[in-house]
Every structure is written in C-alpha cells, then in structure tokens.
Amino acid sequence: MTTKAPQGMAVPAAVSEGGAGGKSVEGVPEPTYEWMGLSAEWGTRVKPGEHGLRIGDLNVGIYGEVPEVWEDQTRRPRGALPRPGVPPLPYNLRSKHQMWADSAANLYEEAIQRRWIPATEVPWDSLKPLPDDVERAMCQVCTELMQYANTEIEIITYWQDQMSYGYYEVKQFLATATFDCARFIEALRKRALGNGGGLGVESRGLVNRMILESRGGWTESVAYLYLVRGTFMMQVLRGLLNAAHNDAERMIFAKAIEDWSRHLTYGYDHLKYSVSHQSGEASIMQTLLSLGEVMMAAELEESTMRPALAIVLGGGIAGGRTIGMETFLHLVGDFVRNYLSVCEWLGVPRAEMLHPMLKKYLEY
Amino acid sequence: MPQFPSLDWFRKVRDVYNSDTSLHKGGGGACHTNAAFRVNGQAYLIAFEGQKIGDIRAASTDELKDVDFVIEMPDDVWKAMIRNVKEHGKADMRYTLNSIDLQQEDGIAHSPTDDQYRQDLFYRYNQNFQDFFDASARVETTFG
C-alpha cells in the first residue's frame, strides 16, 4: 500500500510498507549486497592499548603487511580487496624505501594530539612595542620563515600526490606536517602584523628553490628539506625562543620547535631507512649533499635572515654588530655540527668533504 | 622541606605536576619517554606517560643506557635554574632548558647510545620537560 508523505516533508516523497514490516522507497531498485561477503580479512577486532587506539595498533593480520613494493596504482586502502578494471593513477612512488619511516604512524598520532591554536592559545596581548630596528628585524625573520614553511608545503604536496596508498602512514603523517606549516605561517603572520610592524621583503630563496626543484624523488627532497634546511631551521627556532621578547613569541617558537622536531624525526628516519635498504643510496646522498651544502652556504652569506637574526639576537642594530652576530655565527656553527652528526648517524659521513664555506662556521 | 637534588624532591615536583593540568602547556597526551636527569653525579630516571609522570627512581650509571636521553648540566647551573623557576614562577628566558642547552658548549641532552631518534625526543617533548621543572616553583626547596 502506498502512503503519501505529509505536506512539507522532505524526501522520501512516497514510501510503501515493506514486506518485513519496514518501509521501502517507491520506484527505487532493490539493493543487492553482493559486496558484503568481499573482504580480504574479516573478523578483525583491534583493541585500544595503553595509549588509546593508534593507527600503528591497526597493523594486525594482512592490514599490517607493508610490502617492499606496492604495485597497485589505485586508491585502494591497504588491506582492501582490489577491484578489477580500475584505471591506474600516477602514483609513481611505489617502493617502501622511497618514503618509509618506521616512526611515521606514531608521529602522526603525536601531531594530532599536540595541536595548538594560534588564534586563542597564543597570548597576543603580551605583545608590546619594541624598538623600531628590533621590530623590523623580527618581522623580516617572520617573513623568511613563512617562505620556509610555504616551501615545505609545496614540496610535500607535490610528492604526496605521487605516493602510493600502500604506505598510508607516511601520507597521513605528511598531511599533519603540511598542516603544521600552515599553522606556523598563520602564527608568524599574526606576529608580524600584530605589533605595529608588517611583513618584510621577500627572500631570494636559493635553498627554497633548490628544495622545490628537487625532482629526483622524495628522498632527495627530504635530504634538502629536512637534513639541510630543517636542521638549520631548528637552530633558528631555538635561537628565536631563546631571544623571545614576550610570551606570545615564546609560545609560537616553543610550539614550532616541537612541530619541526617531528618533521626532522620523520626526515632523518626516512633517510636512514632509505640508506640502509636501497643499494647505492648512500653514495647518491653524498652527491646530493655536496650540492646542497653549496646552496646552503651561499644563502647563509647573502640572505637577509643573517642580519635580521643578528639584530634580534643582539637586541638592536648596535648589539647586532657584536653579540648578535656572534650569537648568529655560533647558531650556524651548531647547525653545521648537528648536520655532520646526523650525516654520520645516517651512514653518509660528510666531515671530510664538507664544503669549505660551511666548514668555516665550525670555528664558532 | 625537600632538598635538591634528591629523590624526594623529584617526587614532590611530580606530585604537583600530576595534580594540576593547568601546568601542562606541552600539549596533548603524546609524550612517552624515559628520561634521566643527572645532577651532581646522581641520575634520576623519570617516566613520562602521556599527561602524567609515572615512576621516578634513582639509577646507576649502567641503567642509563636504557633511557632515551640524559639531561646533564653542571651542579651550579641546575641550582640556578631551580632558583630561577622559584623566583619567577616559571623559568625566565635565561633558564629554560632550551636556553641552557644553547649556552652549554656540548648541550645538555644526549643519547647514551648515540641514537638520533631517541635524542630527538628531547626537542619533541621539550615543553613537557619544561612544564615539569616549572612545577617546581610550587615546591619549597632547600639546596644540598
């Protein structure tokens, strides 16, 4: 028997009593449930552990099988049944060594849990007028760091598009990394526009360009983005936290340090995986780094980050010429020492071949 | 009144930290690490477990190889840091773990096994460790 819906009711316009006492929509074909029996592995019942239910905990049975090569060029989630006839998509990174890091799943969880909100959690009312030279330098540093973060978003998303779904943990983590970058850009912009200043001049961006033009594979981009630029950026963030003028800056840089520590952990972990699982990778890394060091050294010489940071660290132009520049040089020296230490840990020692323009900073 | 450094002092600070979530500025619960603080030759093992700090105990040098990283600095710097926290309610910019790490020639955090991944936890969870020491502002302290 057909019933008419009361006037004004949204869909369904007409329903009929179903055979089993329910109602079915008139004119709609009977659904089939042939797909219901189709699963590569059914009966999985993952339980939350001490730290909740994390994506790493889901790696049980076939769902935890992470192959060395993932031939499937579709969006099929790992562990789902393939459907014949789905056209391939350009997922060009299909080998584990091209993106994997064991830490990716945990880093994803960590990023989700340790999120922060610049709009409401940064104490913006702690911003107070600074001397003009310091405010200008601070705003210049913010401007350059925004470009660092823009670059990171662009290179991650370029490659993320090409990463196969067999290694979804990495794609998940990188999604959080791009969000971290977006949030950092937001916080920096708010800092620059919130204290009587404004944005400074665009960076020439030698290293940004090097990162964005690294098209030999994600691993190459990781070497430039995290091992070269990232290791330097971490020192910059630490220096800025140390020189914070107020609680707003203190929070922004403290949080950024934690965010970028995750990025670097992924980056170093991936490079380590790649070097130890792919024959010849260590040698390739040597070549890449010898090129990367040249660009990094050139940027350190000519970038406006150098004088701007010196002024911030020195508390003004006068201090920037003395203690500020001295602190900056020491900061760069720490970067180079950390860089060499990580290279050694990776099995790609650079101490003997370090570019002279970087080596000179070891004096500080 | 607990004396710094002592097991009693670290446990008192833990109790303060665990009892007031407003002290937790380090973000969400993902902070799982076993760290050691080494003061004047004595090491204290501290288990960070999400939003809480679990077991704290004195440890031998041999046991340090099992921790993710060790924070170590000269005795007078430790004491100056604790005094500074007490005076300001939290570390001022000269006495945060980050600042002290930058000021010390070889830094203050190291992995006993030279494991880069484990050492990086010092930076990933830095604010949690800072929160812990900032909680010591609420503990009346004497110095040995």
Side-chain angles (χ1 to χ4, degrees):
Chain A
M1 176 182 157
T2 302
T3 56
K4 192 169 180 183
Q7 201 169 14
M9 184 181 277
V11 290
V15 293
S16 60
E17 295 294 336
K23 293 176 176 178
S24 61
V25 180
E26 195 175 72
V28 175
E30 280 293 312
T32 63
Y33 299 102
E34 290 157 353
W35 49 269
M36 286 190 80
L38 301 178
S39 173
E41 188 164 290
W42 191 251
T44 308
R45 193 165 278 114
V46 178
K47 302 275 190 220
E50 186 188 350
H51 308 306
L53 187 56
R54 300 176 301 179
I55 63 170
D57 300 328
L58 306 178
N59 283 344
V60 296
I62 64 161
Y63 303 102
E65 291 171 8
V66 185
E68 292 303 316
V69 179
W70 182 262
E71 297 289 3
D72 194 327
Q73 282 187 255
T74 75
R75 289 196 186 85
R76 177 172 67 89
R78 194 175 75 215
L81 270 186
R83 179 184 290 276
V86 175
L89 290 158
Y91 297 122
N92 299 315
L93 301 182
R94 298 195 299 275
S95 292
K96 193 175 180 184
H97 71 83
Q98 292 175 308
M99 72 196 87
W100 188 253
D102 288 336
S103 58
N106 282 345
L107 291 170
Y108 166 78
E109 294 285 354
E110 195 172 302
I112 293 296
Q113 292 188 33
R114 297 177 77 88
R115 60 193 181 275
W116 53 289
I117 307 168
T120 54
E121 291 180 356
V122 173
W124 295 110
D125 56 2
S126 70
L127 292 178
K128 296 286 183 292
L130 294 170
D132 187 58
D133 51 354
V134 178
E135 184 63 29
R136 285 179 187 276
M138 195 65 208
C139 288
Q140 182 59 37
V141 169
C142 288
T143 306
E144 298 223 13
L145 287 176
M146 287 166 68
Q147 290 175 256
Y148 286 12
N150 280 335
T151 301
E152 186 166 342
I153 291 176
E154 284 182 41
I155 196 66
I156 288 176
T157 51
Y158 172 82
W159 287 113
Q160 197 180 25
D161 206 33
Q162 301 183 50
M163 292 177 182
S164 76
Y165 279 91
Y167 312 104
Y168 85 97
E169 293 94 334
V170 173
K171 289 172 80 85
Q172 294 278 109
F173 167 68
L174 291 175
T176 70
T178 55
F179 191 84
D180 291 342
C181 292
R183 182 173 47 206
F184 192 43
I185 291 167
E186 171 201 348
L188 292 168
R189 195 171 183 88
K190 287 174 175 173
R191 165 60 191 88
L193 302 185
N195 202 31
L199 294 181
V201 65
E202 180 185 7
S203 147
R204 190 163 289 160
L206 292 178
V207 175
N208 291 339
R209 184 162 288 276
M210 173 181 77
I211 293 167
L212 291 170
E213 290 181 349
S214 57
R215 297 297 164 93
W218 170 237
T219 304
E220 176 181 326
S221 298
V222 168
Y224 290 150
L225 177 65
Y226 292 132
L227 180 54
V228 179
R229 158 62 67 71
T231 307
F232 171 68
M233 181 171 171
M234 178 57 74
Q235 287 309 121
V236 172
L237 294 174
R238 296 189 63 210
L240 288 168
L241 174 59
N242 197 35
H245 303 97
N246 45 60
D247 283 348
E249 290 176 8
R250 187 171 173 163
M251 179 168 182
I252 291 167
F253 295 119
K255 290 295 187 185
I257 286 170
E258 295 188 345
D259 290 348
W260 259 264
S261 295
R262 286 193 301 277
H263 302 193
L264 295 195
T265 296
Y266 165 76
Y268 298 165
D269 201 9
H270 168 59
L271 293 175
K272 180 89 170 168
Y273 188 90
S274 185
V275 165
S276 53
H277 288 79
Q278 179 66 0
S279 174
E281 188 64 34
S283 174
I284 291 170
M285 287 279 295
Q286 289 282 6
T287 308
L288 290 172
L289 293 176
S290 65
L291 297 169
E293 287 167 13
V294 175
M295 299 302 278
M296 188 68 210
E299 182 160 288
L300 283 168
E301 291 294 315
E302 61 131 47
S303 163
T304 49
M305 183 67 102
R306 183 187 181 102
L309 257 182
I311 292 169
V312 170
L313 298 171
I317 288 177
R321 291 197 177 106
T322 54
I323 184 73
M325 185 52 74
E326 205 175 295
T327 308
F328 173 80
L329 292 172
H330 187 69
L331 180 155
V332 179
D334 281 347
F335 149 61
V336 178
R337 282 182 283 277
N338 289 347
Y339 166 77
L340 290 176
S341 166
V342 176
C343 287
E344 186 78 29
W345 177 75
L346 290 172
V348 189
R350 291 293 303 161
E352 297 298 319
M353 289 163 284
L354 182 66
H355 193 279
M357 282 171 68
L358 283 184
K359 190 176 269 185
K360 70 180 186 185
Y361 291 104
L362 291 173
E363 294 171 22
Y364 300 101
Chain B
M1 205 180 290
Q3 177 176 296
F4 179 85
S6 70
L7 193 53
D8 185 35
W9 185 88
F10 278 106
R11 286 177 171 164
K12 284 275 191 315
V13 177
R14 172 193 62 186
D15 294 345
V16 170
Y17 178 90
N18 284 350
S19 67
D20 186 352
T21 55
S22 73
L23 294 167
H24 303 174
K25 299 183 179 67
C31 172
H32 297 278
T33 181
N34 290 310
F37 301 138
R38 197 175 166 107
V39 192
N40 204 15
Q42 175 64 57
Y44 301 90
L45 259 54
I46 301 196
F48 285 82
E49 300 169 348
Q51 301 279 20
K52 297 282 182 189
I53 291 169
D55 190 33
I56 300 185
R57 62 188 177 81
S60 66
T61 305
D62 268 3
E63 290 176 278
L64 294 184
K65 66 181 186 306
D66 297 325
V67 303
D68 292 322
F69 59 87
V70 179
I71 294 179
E72 187 167 15
M73 55 182 118
D75 194 37
D76 58 328
V77 180
W78 273 114
K79 288 176 177 169
M81 181 183 86
I82 302 301
R83 286 194 175 98
N84 182 271
V85 166
K86 184 71 181 169
E87 187 183 343
H88 297 94
K90 64 179 183 182
D92 74 6
M93 295 316 301
R94 294 167 301 157
Y95 283 100
T96 63
L97 293 171
N98 176 63
S99 309
I100 297 170
D101 188 50
L102 287 172
Q103 288 156 19
Q104 298 294 312
E105 187 70 21
D106 296 319
I108 61 171
H110 65 273
S111 159
T113 54
D114 278 335
D115 184 328
Q116 186 69 42
Y117 179 80
R118 296 172 84 183
Q119 180 162 343
D120 285 344
L121 293 171
F122 173 67
Y123 301 108
R124 272 163 61 193
Y125 303 144
N126 192 269
Q127 190 59 45
N128 296 72
F129 311 137
Q130 191 62 56
D131 290 346
F132 172 78
F133 283 107
D134 285 351
S136 74
R138 299 189 192 174
V139 174
E140 291 302 324
T141 301
T142 60
F143 292 91

